[in-house]
Amino acid sequence: MKGEAIKMTELMGRDDDYFIIPIYQRKYSWKKENCRQLYKDLKNLAQVSAGGGAK
């Protein structure tokens, strides 16, 4: 796996990417609703950072 620096607004604008919760994180019992909330929070942060305001 290779990491790279990227702006949150660029990351959230990618339609062809998906996110995987690593095995070491799975013991924390991420459920679909937890993932949805994280995505919503990140999306709102990206909108605020871009000057669009939060939803």
Side-chain angles (χ1 to χ4, degrees):
M1 184 178 353
K2 181 180 176 186
E4 63 182 82
I6 186 170
K7 291 181 181 181
M8 183 60 76
T9 52
E10 293 173 9
L11 178 66
M12 299 307 292
R14 295 180 177 182
D15 291 331
D16 58 341
D17 284 347
Y18 60 95
F19 301 92
I20 299 172
I21 299 170
I23 292 172
Y24 66 86
Q25 285 284 346
R26 292 179 189 172
K27 66 181 180 179
Y28 297 108
S29 299
W30 282 72
K31 303 213 179 341
K32 281 188 178 184
E33 186 55 37
N34 300 118
C35 295
R36 284 187 189 111
Q37 185 63 50
L38 175 61
Y39 179 78
K40 181 181 172 184
D41 292 344
L42 292 172
K43 188 174 177 182
N44 284 340
L45 177 63
Q47 290 173 344
V48 169
S49 296
K55 286 187 175 180

